[in-house]
Amino acid sequence: MIGSRARKILGDLSERRGAFLMAVLAMSVGVFQISSMLYTYSILSGTLGTMFERTRPASAILVTDGDSDALIDSVRAVPGVADAEARPVIVGRVRVGRDEWVPGMFYVVRDFNKLRLDTFEPHQGAWPPGEQEVLLEQTALQVAKARSGDAINIRTVGGEDQALKVSGTVHDEGLPPSWMDHIVPGFVSWNSALRRSAGGESKQIRIRVADSPLDEGSIREVADRVKAMLERQGHHVSWINVPPPGKHPHADQMAAFLYLLGVFGLMSFVLSTALVAGMVQGLLAEQVRQVGIMKAIGGSTRQVATLYLAQVSILAAGALAVGLPAGMFAGRIFARSFAAILNGHITNTEFPMWLLVLEIVAGIAVPLLVSLGPVLQASGVTVHQALNGDPGPRADGGRRLDRAIARIDWLPRPLMLSLRTTFLRRGRLALTVGMLAVGGAMFISALNISDAWKRSVDDDFALRHFQLVVSVPHPTDIATLDRVIRAVPAVTGAEYWPEAKGFLVGSSGGSGDVVGIVGPDPGSKLLQLPMLSGLWIRSGDSTGVVINQGLFARDTTLRVGRQVRLRIRGQVVTWRINGIASEMTPMPIVYAPPDLVARAAGLQPGTARSARVVTGKTDEASQLQASEALEQAFAREHVELSSIQRISDNRKAILDHLVIILSVLTLAALIMLFVGAIGLTSTLSLNVVRRTREIGILGAIGATPATISRHVWAEGVLIGLLSWGLATLLSAPASYIMERVTGQIFFKTPVRFYMGTGPALIWLGLVVVLASASSLYPAWRASRLTVRKALSYE
Amino acid sequence: MITLTGVTKTYPSPAGAFSALRGIDLHISAGEFAAIVGKSGSGKSTLLNMVAGIDRPSAGTVRVGERPIEALSQGQLAKWRGQSVGIVFQFFQLLPTLTVAENVMLPMDFLGAIPGRERHRRALLLLERVGVADQAGKLPSALSGGQQQRVAIARALANDPPVILADEPTGNLDSATSADIFKLFAELAADGKTLVIVTHEREAVSGATRTVTLADGCVIR
């Protein structure tokens, strides 16, 4: 036998099934939001590191001139080396059209069945590949425009074109997706035909250190020991590369992604709290008369409050039961999808204990806490207040807003009624508008960030007034290059800038990150980067250089007037920094006077290895046509090419790196739409319930069901429009902060602030549609109320 | 004017079907001031709801003027009410967010029969007629109960309907105010309106041209 109070709780739930179900649904959306976002966060925050570690990544890569098994055995014997493997690399190009090529990177594997470092797994097809075969990374098929079983044509510098059959695909979690970097990674066997036809290969030995695998200093110490041993054996080590220890190539993307996910998760929490508070307030509004009755028959404020808090607990438990499994399901799907974007796969989807605790807190304790105020307020009304109904706005119209609204008397009366009714319950209105506004601000910000990033990349590329970069494998007479290039009618100009590759030398003398070194003509109009500080390189100043902010971010001690030390071709050079340029690339680059770069790169005067080519037409199709024409021209003149990079492809590659960021922004925007719709529907539904008697009066004095529906719709749209105004205001600081932070994480520079009218207008359109859609059910319900039922409603 | 023929209204209830009205036959002529009286639960309000088109009979027909109103849809009923019937409730039922004048203008807006320019003037005229013109710009909550009921009567007259229906219009007022309200109803009847009032008040009965007594859903007198 249950007590009368429990029966009252259950009776209310049963009596107002629709309203309570709507409340559970709205609250469960909050639980869903938080659980899906935080679960995604919890899975992914550790995933990139785990999946990278699964590949047993090499701690260092030494480029040398030998790769025999005996040599690798002696490397393994060096103290501090845990393991070593030879993995020569052949750089080439893969034909994807008649005269269209994409860069290819082919790793020669000693034994596919005994991979030791930088491991990968068979994905599909034959494993290992035969002599005339190649295995492509699973994401490379699309870029290579090939399918398993097709033959692909590979051209290497100084070698012969080689056709290899794609025997299948592999999954290499240590590599970024091919479509993102626009490079075709492939794996060939030790006796591959490609090794015989290629003009050369980079003999690379990968080592993994035994101790302190995440300490760059100790890795370099071990690598130097290996280098010394190789040199003792008569080998030459041309390069030691120490990738950032334990860091996946796309860790920065993931960091930006997780930051956004965290921000949106937090905002979801705030939103769901507001949603619950609004919902409880709405439900209690219906119960005022019953509160009066209970108090009239002896119930205390505490007893009444306890009763309603128990009701909230039941609703919260229901919401948790619905929202949590749905959130877990969605979180798993989101995490898998996002990991797939970075070429990874999820193995551990364990739901962490901290998240479960948080969910219970968010799902039960938070609703109770936010309900406490409205419950105490509702329970505190006097019997007289409760039984004499709603007194309506204050009789003296004392509040400034009331007076302002009362002055709007030029609207059609039904619309005026909607307006005034909307403003009648200001607390509830503020909650609904606030919730929708936060959702709207996130939606607008998501689009703003996306636009800001695209615009920043576009702005950056607009500063580069060349369309193609032609590279040749060996220093070549500039006169020869110029003759071949200018023979192509589409070409209107070309400049030949010396280039080199170096390593940043730290204070300890160790070599760090790879740095690109470029020597543009000081007077050139082809590259005009904005300066963050200092000056661009000048004619007559043969020692001052400019670093980009990608390099500055790696070493913030590098300032104008100080010096940057680089190791180029084994020699350490020290250059004075004249300026720091803003550039939308995470790659560290030094721009130096051409003579300085040429000397450091060992280029003879009058020779170059690359050309910046200007074409008459700059669109993507024209760039492709021009690059094909250049391919033909170089072939005709028997001048070997390394690559032709199209600027449009480079731009696309950078934008493709933003895919994961844009995905989370889109996801957040969609969730906001969903939450907004649920929140508004529940608000309007509860308003209809609360105003049932008023609807009855309207019907009694001649309002048709259509008029009443329009009334509810107008209220919904009005709330939507109010929230839109607030959302637009809120989106400015939100966009600013998120654009700065994500830009800093990904590009090492804040993205230039952008806030367009487009996203706000899109949200305006959506909010009207959303409000209209959200008002459909409440409006229909209101129109179905008969006057008798409405008038007898209590 | 108002004709009920064999009107029965049965409501389902957990204890079995409950008949609020049992085969009512009633005719109220144009210009009559009819007072419906009876004990609580006798079916007075249900009868009024039938005439107002607020509720539908389980059996029988209700004709107001020439129209059998039970055949009308909800939308048609709303329009018909706006045009033909003015309703006054016990608890006034004014919309709290609209001013007194706006409350009176609202039925005119719904029906649209009176040109927009004239609505405010007409509302003031009606308010003057019921004696609360000086309260036109105030919100209902600023008015006393009697004043609110006068506004409700003005609202009922907004579209100049031939029939005024009132359900316990003085049930929430003191006796002095009630007398004023009944005086107002008597004036309306004298102006040719057909009035049907559900009431307990003796003054109403004394002012009415006819008294209809209900008991257990049947007309007994």
Side-chain angles (χ1 to χ4, degrees):
Chain A
M1 190 81 181
I2 58 173
S4 60
R5 274 179 282 179
R7 196 175 282 283
K8 153 84 178 133
I9 293 168
L10 296 176
D12 281 353
L13 293 174
S14 165
E15 177 70 21
R16 298 267 188 272
R17 277 190 299 276
F20 283 113
L21 277 177
M22 187 56 84
V24 168
L25 182 62
M27 288 162 84
S28 67
V29 167
V31 176
F32 169 81
Q33 266 183 288
I34 297 168
S35 51
S36 61
M37 287 212 167
L38 291 186
Y39 187 30
T40 307
Y41 187 98
S42 80
I43 294 174
L44 290 179
S45 57
T47 287
L48 206 59
T50 312
M51 77 187 198
F52 187 50
E53 194 49 40
R54 267 203 304 263
T55 66
R56 287 178 53 79
S59 310
I61 300 165
L62 292 92
V63 181
T64 181
D65 52 8
D67 56 12
S68 66
D69 289 350
L71 188 65
I72 301 304
D73 284 341
S74 53
V75 170
R76 286 190 194 116
V78 172
V81 173
D83 209 344
E85 183 174 340
R87 182 80 56 89
V89 175
I90 301 169
V91 177
R93 295 190 293 158
V94 177
R95 188 198 289 270
V96 293
R98 200 168 69 88
D99 285 303
E100 192 186 350
W101 300 79
V102 291
M105 185 85 81
F106 298 93
Y107 300 93
V108 182
V109 178
R110 182 70 189 91
D111 186 346
F112 276 85
N113 294 316
K114 281 186 189 165
L115 293 170
R116 290 169 172 269
L117 300 177
D118 290 324
T119 62
F120 49 89
E121 289 172 356
H123 178 249
Q124 175 264 319
W127 168 286
E131 275 183 48
Q132 300 286 338
E133 292 177 335
V134 61
L135 278 167
L136 294 184
E137 213 293 319
Q138 56 165 359
T139 56
L141 290 176
Q142 176 199 347
V143 180
K145 295 183 183 171
R147 286 175 299 186
S148 269
D150 288 354
I152 57 168
N153 227 320
I154 300 165
R155 176 172 290 179
T156 52
V157 170
E160 294 165 7
D161 286 6
Q162 176 71 53
L164 291 181
K165 182 186 160 194
V166 179
S167 68
T169 53
V170 302
H171 183 204
D172 188 339
E173 290 183 304
L175 287 176
S178 183
W179 54 264
M180 204 179 268
D181 279 7
H182 292 239
I183 292 174
V184 174
F187 299 85
V188 295
S189 58
W190 203 251
N191 56 353
S192 170
L194 186 63
R195 296 191 84 181
R196 295 191 292 275
S197 65
E201 62 185 28
S202 167
K203 293 197 183 301
Q204 298 186 0
I205 298 173
R206 293 169 188 241
I207 62 166
R208 189 169 165 87
V209 297
D211 305 312
S212 308
L214 299 180
D215 177 16
E216 189 177 337
S218 49
I219 294 171
R220 286 194 182 279
E221 267 180 41
V222 175
D224 285 343
R225 280 204 289 273
V226 174
K227 182 187 174 202
M229 183 278 291
L230 289 170
E231 285 173 345
R232 277 198 303 277
Q233 291 197 13
H235 295 284
H236 172 65
V237 176
S238 58
W239 178 32
I240 299 173
N241 178 24
V242 179
K247 193 174 172 189
H248 188 276
H250 283 164
D252 287 343
Q253 277 165 270
M254 184 58 95
F257 167 81
L258 290 175
Y259 166 78
L260 287 173
L261 205 60
V263 169
F264 287 125
L266 188 68
M267 294 310 292
S268 298
F269 184 78
V270 174
L271 271 184
S272 86
T273 307
L275 196 64
V276 170
M279 192 61 65
V280 170
Q281 212 177 48
L283 290 174
L284 288 170
E286 292 181 58
Q287 297 278 324
V288 174
R289 188 173 287 269
Q290 299 199 27
V291 168
I293 296 166
M294 284 189 283
K295 295 187 94 171
I297 59 172
S300 68
T301 299
R302 193 176 58 81
Q303 286 170 322
V304 174
T306 308
L307 197 137
Y308 287 110
L309 285 176
Q311 219 165 53
V312 171
S313 306
I314 293 174
L315 295 182
L320 201 61
V322 175
L324 187 58
M328 287 172 72
F329 179 72
R332 210 171 290 138
I333 291 176
F334 294 157
R336 287 213 170 103
S337 310
F338 292 133
I341 292 176
L342 293 182
N343 201 25
H345 76 270
I346 305 292
T347 50
N348 182 10
T349 55
E350 187 190 344
F351 196 76
M353 184 53 79
W354 66 265
L355 190 50
L356 189 64
V357 171
L358 189 70
E359 280 299 330
I360 291 170
V361 169
I364 305 267
V366 169
L368 280 175
L369 274 177
V370 297
S371 305
L372 210 54
V375 165
L376 288 177
Q377 195 185 13
S379 315
V381 294
T382 63
V383 176
H384 177 76
Q385 281 172 331
L387 295 181
N388 284 286
D390 180 12
R394 268 172 35 186
D396 56 4
R399 286 187 288 188
R400 199 175 297 169
L401 189 59
D402 282 337
R403 287 200 298 270
I405 293 167
R407 275 198 287 276
I408 307 172
D409 54 3
W410 40 266
L411 284 171
R413 216 115 30 228
L415 194 58
M416 204 159 72
L417 183 62
S418 299
L419 177 71
R420 293 185 192 174
T421 312
T422 306
F423 280 93
L424 189 59
R425 308 244 170 209
R426 249 158 261 173
R428 180 148 177 73
L429 175 70
L431 270 177
T432 311
V433 168
M435 186 195 66
L436 266 181
V438 171
M442 286 167 72
F443 183 92
I444 295 171
S445 302
L447 295 188
N448 274 336
I449 298 166
S450 169
D451 281 350
W453 282 49
K454 283 179 190 158
R455 287 171 75 96
S456 288
V457 172
D458 283 345
D459 287 352
D460 190 73
F461 276 86
L463 302 170
R464 296 160 207 273
H465 302 286
F466 52 91
Q467 286 69 49
L468 303 167
V469 179
V470 175
S471 301
V472 291
H474 313 290
T476 306
D477 282 344
I478 289 175
T480 306
L481 289 174
D482 206 46
R483 180 172 50 78
V484 177
I485 289 170
R486 287 185 189 273
V488 172
V491 172
T492 58
E495 289 188 14
Y496 304 89
W497 300 348
E499 285 179 74
K501 190 164 68 176
F503 301 92
L504 185 64
V505 179
S507 53
S508 64
S511 300
D513 294 291
V514 179
V515 178
I517 300 153
V518 183
D521 186 332
S524 174
K525 302 285 183 206
L526 297 193
L527 183 66
Q528 293 170 318
L529 298 179
M531 301 302 292
L532 293 174
S533 61
L535 297 168
W536 184 244
I537 50 173
R538 289 164 292 177
S539 324
D541 181 354
S542 57
T543 55
V545 302
V546 170
I547 63 170
N548 74 348
Q549 90 293 324
L551 180 53
F552 174 68
R554 279 164 176 78
D555 185 348
T556 50
T557 64
L558 298 174
R559 299 285 167 94
V560 173
R562 293 191 181 169
Q563 292 180 321
V564 57
R565 296 171 75 207
L566 299 165
R567 189 185 300 276
I568 306 170
R569 300 171 69 231
Q571 302 296 315
V572 174
V573 295
T574 305
W575 291 337
R576 191 183 74 250
I577 301 169
N578 269 2
I580 301 174
S582 168
E583 193 174 23
M584 202 47 67
T585 171
M587 173 77 183
I589 297 174
V590 171
Y591 294 97
D595 291 347
L596 206 59
V597 180
R599 269 201 308 278
L603 285 169
Q604 293 297 318
T607 64
R609 289 185 62 173
S610 66
R612 262 73 179 170
V613 177
V614 184
T615 57
K617 291 182 182 171
T618 57
D619 59 280
E620 207 171 322
S622 301
Q623 287 189 28
L624 179 60
Q625 281 172 4
S627 71
E628 286 173 351
L630 281 167
E631 285 278 355
Q632 291 162 10
F634 273 83
R636 264 197 313 274
E637 297 290 336
H638 304 292
V639 179
E640 202 171 7
L641 268 176
S642 294
S643 67
I644 299 180
Q645 282 177 6
R646 293 191 293 274
I647 287 296
S648 60
D649 276 357
N650 290 359
R651 178 182 162 279
K652 193 167 180 301
I654 289 188
L655 288 177
D656 284 345
H657 279 74
L658 305 181
V659 164
I660 190 161
I661 305 296
L662 300 184
S663 320
V664 70
L665 293 175
T666 310
L667 172 73
L670 288 176
I671 288 185
M672 288 311 121
L673 266 180
F674 183 56
V675 174
I678 294 288
L680 193 54
T681 305
S682 62
T683 298
L684 293 176
S685 297
L686 287 171
N687 280 357
V688 167
V689 171
R690 191 171 50 75
R691 287 166 39 210
T692 299
R693 188 178 277 271
E694 182 183 308
I695 289 167
I697 301 166
L698 291 175
I701 62 172
T704 61
T707 307
I708 291 168
S709 300
R710 274 201 301 275
H711 181 71
V712 174
W713 172 80
E715 192 185 333
V717 171
L718 190 62
I719 292 174
L721 292 178
L722 284 171
S723 78
W724 176 79
L726 187 60
T728 309
L729 287 177
L730 289 176
S731 65
S735 301
Y736 178 78
I737 293 168
M738 286 193 275
E739 284 169 18
R740 278 193 80 82
V741 175
T742 53
Q744 195 68 50
I745 294 172
F746 189 71
F747 287 128
K748 311 301 175 200
T749 182
V751 174
R752 274 187 290 280
F753 176 60
Y754 171 73
M755 204 178 146
T757 50
L761 289 176
I762 290 172
W763 180 247
L764 175 63
L766 278 173
V767 101
V768 172
V769 173
L770 190 77
S772 302
S774 300
S775 65
L776 273 180
Y777 171 70
W780 173 80
R781 219 181 128 193
S783 71
R784 298 272 297 171
L785 280 171
T786 64
V787 178
R788 186 184 69 80
K789 274 188 185 166
L791 288 175
S792 61
Y793 180 84
E794 285 187 4
Chain B
M1 183 73 203
I2 300 169
T3 308
L4 284 80
T5 311
V7 170
T8 296
K9 181 64 187 179
T10 307
Y11 295 107
S13 83
F18 165 71
S19 292
L21 297 176
R22 302 162 192 261
I24 300 273
D25 293 314
L26 178 67
H27 179 80
I28 297 169
S29 303
E32 264 195 290
F33 181 175
I36 313 281
V37 296
K39 287 182 183 168
S40 182
S42 60
K44 303 186 298 288
S45 293
T46 307
L47 177 67
L48 200 75
N49 284 348
M50 296 294 156
V51 179
I54 285 174
D55 209 345
R56 293 174 192 275
S58 307
T61 58
V62 179
R63 295 181 88 87
V64 179
E66 293 307 310
R67 303 194 76 161
I69 60 170
E70 71 275 5
L72 300 178
S73 67
Q74 284 295 329
Q76 289 168 324
L77 269 176
K79 276 193 174 168
W80 168 80
R81 261 195 303 270
Q83 196 167 27
S84 312
V85 178
I87 305 174
V88 181
F89 300 97
Q90 180 180 356
F91 291 104
F92 329 130
Q93 309 289 20
L94 298 174
L95 296 176
T97 55
L98 296 183
T99 64
V100 163
E102 286 164 350
N103 264 286
V104 178
M105 285 188 279
L106 195 59
M108 302 184 220
D109 294 333
F110 286 143
L111 189 65
I114 293 163
R117 283 190 302 273
E118 290 177 26
R119 290 175 196 165
H120 188 250
R121 195 175 54 82
R122 178 170 171 74
L124 291 181
L125 276 175
L126 291 169
L127 289 170
E128 198 174 323
R129 182 173 176 186
V130 299
V132 286
D134 55 334
Q135 312 292 330
K138 292 183 179 170
L139 291 173
S141 50
L143 273 58
S144 68
Q147 285 173 317
Q148 288 195 48
Q149 196 59 300
R150 284 167 186 273
V151 177
I153 293 168
R155 184 178 66 182
L157 295 169
N159 289 316
D160 197 20
V163 178
I164 303 292
L165 305 173
D167 189 1
E168 302 279 7
T170 55
N172 214 31
L173 301 174
D174 60 61
S175 55
T177 313
S178 297
D180 288 345
I181 295 293
F182 281 123
K183 200 173 149 205
L184 201 52
F185 281 131
E187 286 169 18
L188 292 177
D191 286 352
K193 299 282 181 201
T194 305
L195 266 91
V196 181
I197 296 180
V198 168
T199 184
H200 284 106
E201 307 279 344
R202 287 192 182 165
E203 291 88 337
V205 178
S206 61
T209 54
R210 180 178 170 191
T211 302
V212 178
T213 306
L214 288 187
D216 297 329
C218 299
V219 177
I220 56 169
R221 199 162 50 198

